[in-house]
Amino acid sequence: MGRPPCCDKVGVKKGPWTPEEDIILVSYIQEHGPGNWRSVPTNTGLLRCSKSCRLRWTNYLRPGIKRGNFTDHEEKMIIHLQALLGNRWAAIASYLPQRTDNDIKNYWNTHLKKKLSKLNSGPDGQKQDGFSSSQPKGQWERRLQTDIHMAKQALCEALSLDKPTQLPDSKPSNSSHHPFTKPYQASSTYASSADNIARLLENWKKSSSPKSAQTNSGTTQNSSNNNLGATGSSSSEGAQSATTPDQAFDSLLSFNSSTSESMSVDETANLTPETSLFQDESKSNMETQVPLQLIEKWLFDDGTTQGQDDLINMSLEDNAVFF
DNA sequence: AAAATTTGCAACCGCACGCCA
DNA sequence: CTGGCGTGCGGTTGCAAATTT
């Protein structure tokens, strides 16, 4: 028995996305906005299941996504947040605008885990993974602990009426991932999305040796590391060298270049309406604001860098205070 | 230079959750 | 209240690229 698959497997394509598919998806979302994923494959003719479409959008095509090259700052945040929240990548991602949960999860699993285990396997390799020793084992317990923690802090905040409002990046973000559950908001949101896809395309064309559709994963990776390389101007380059006779592509690029002319991708990303759009989301606000104080404290103390251990200790001490 | 091994990441899978009729 | 449906989330896998032998 069990739950039937989200989509019948016959005729459903799997594996890396091709630029053509990306274009179709983006241009569809450009028109209709994200959401109602179930209908996306039917309406676009994509031979993908709805989940796959959503994933592709949220992890790659969504506007304002930054890929690769985690900064020290981000790294520390992830470490700290992981200590606080456990493997709740979506929650962690909500503190890191422009980063997806998948990206963070991958980065944690591939880089940070090792890094930390090296760090902590010094004299006595007890603290595996950094700080898990102080955490409940099960996901459920951990979640519970976090929630209690959050609730307590929220209470404290409420009582002190001293709410931080100005955290630089305090964007509730993607806990509900979509700024646009409503019809579809600012078109400029898609500018950066178009940037994303323009990057994909550009790199795809560069490597557009016969392999073409080939390893989209490869092209994706390249593009992902080239955020700086592909700006608005380069996307129009992409338009010129376009070999894909796709109208959607043209419209995308023109759309793109008209909206983000002089901005780099990152700039665009930073200014993306997401930031403001997200700010109304009460649920994630609840979630974000609570540990924010801790994070803020840590972030703003960052200059005084005492090293990760101190950060870790801080979080653990904080936990101790609350329990 | 070629083969073997490791690494990194995109994408898939399946369960959980929330909404709605 | 309950069951169906759509979506979100975290764990895992598969494969290409990078590195080592």
Side-chain angles (χ1 to χ4, degrees):
Chain A
M1 264 188 42
R3 191 194 177 104
C6 71
C7 44
D8 39 6
K9 311 247 169 180
V10 274
V12 173
K13 189 179 169 195
K14 286 162 70 171
W17 279 66
T18 65
E20 289 91 345
E21 289 175 313
D22 283 340
I23 292 167
I24 293 171
L25 180 59
V26 169
S27 55
Y28 176 82
I29 293 175
Q30 186 180 336
E31 265 184 60
H32 301 91
N36 197 9
W37 294 108
R38 187 118 181 143
S39 65
V40 172
T42 356
N43 293 343
T44 57
L46 285 169
L47 300 175
R48 297 280 180 170
C49 80
S50 53
K51 261 186 174 182
S52 188
C53 294
R54 182 179 56 82
L55 206 66
R56 185 66 182 170
W57 170 257
T58 52
N59 284 340
Y60 295 93
L61 305 174
R62 190 162 57 95
I65 291 179
K66 185 169 131 197
R67 325 218 61 246
N69 299 331
F70 279 76
T71 63
D72 279 356
H73 189 73
E74 288 173 316
E75 194 172 290
K76 283 179 189 173
M77 270 198 89
I78 294 169
I79 291 169
H80 192 67
L81 286 165
Q82 206 277 344
L84 278 172
L85 303 172
N87 294 356
R88 295 173 64 185
W89 306 115
I92 293 173
S94 71
Y95 295 99
L96 290 164
Q98 306 173 10
R99 297 292 185 184
T100 68
D101 51 354
N102 205 35
D103 218 12
I104 293 172
K105 179 173 58 182
N106 280 336
Y107 190 67
W108 172 264
N109 285 330
T110 54
H111 295 93
L112 298 180
K113 234 177 177 176
K114 290 172 197 166
K115 211 170 186 176
L116 285 174
S117 62
K118 265 185 195 170
L119 266 174
N120 293 312
S121 67
D124 53 0
Q126 290 181 348
K127 281 210 263 174
Q128 192 211 353
D129 279 7
F131 354 82
S132 51
S133 61
S134 71
Q135 293 183 339
K137 282 174 190 169
Q139 188 185 20
W140 170 243
E141 286 91 339
R142 217 165 41 216
R143 187 172 287 227
L144 194 60
Q145 178 180 332
T146 311
D147 290 344
I148 292 169
H149 179 187
M150 287 176 171
K152 286 191 176 180
Q153 261 208 331
L155 187 59
C156 290
E157 279 182 34
L159 290 174
S160 68
L161 293 174
D162 181 24
K163 229 171 166 186
T165 52
Q166 83 304 13
L167 188 75
D169 280 326
S170 68
K171 162 193 102 127
S173 117
N174 57 354
S175 58
S176 69
H177 281 294
H178 310 121
F180 357 72
T181 35
K182 299 168 205 166
Y184 158 52
Q185 306 242 3
S187 60
S188 61
T189 305
Y190 285 101
S192 40
S193 160
D195 273 325
N196 284 344
I197 197 159
R199 288 200 305 270
L200 292 171
L201 287 164
E202 194 191 354
N203 285 283
W204 174 62
K205 276 169 216 141
K206 276 180 190 166
S207 62
S208 173
S209 42
K211 275 180 166 182
S212 77
Q214 146 254 24
T215 67
N216 167 268
S217 65
T219 58
T220 320
Q221 276 177 327
N222 289 341
S223 68
S224 68
N225 292 332
N226 278 341
N227 274 354
L228 298 175
T231 59
S233 63
S234 68
S235 56
S236 51
E237 266 176 34
Q240 285 164 3
S241 60
T243 54
T244 317
D246 192 326
Q247 292 173 343
F249 173 52
D250 289 338
S251 71
L252 253 181
L253 290 172
S254 57
F255 172 80
N256 174 33
S257 56
S258 69
T259 50
S260 59
E261 285 174 349
S262 57
M263 281 185 183
S264 74
V265 170
D266 284 343
E267 284 167 340
T268 317
N270 288 335
L271 295 176
T272 179
E274 269 187 314
T275 317
S276 55
L277 283 169
F278 281 132
Q279 278 166 0
D280 296 333
E281 294 185 346
S282 53
K283 178 203 158 191
S284 43
N285 265 342
M286 275 296 291
E287 217 177 273
T288 47
Q289 279 172 6
V290 180
L292 275 184
Q293 280 188 333
L294 301 175
I295 296 157
E296 263 182 292
K297 182 182 171 199
W298 164 59
L299 287 178
F300 295 143
D301 287 353
D302 200 32
T304 68
T305 54
Q306 296 179 329
Q308 287 173 350
D309 288 342
D310 286 344
L311 296 173
I312 294 159
N313 290 337
M314 189 187 92
S315 75
L316 296 179
E317 281 164 16
D318 283 330
N319 278 327
V321 168
F322 287 111
F323 292 102

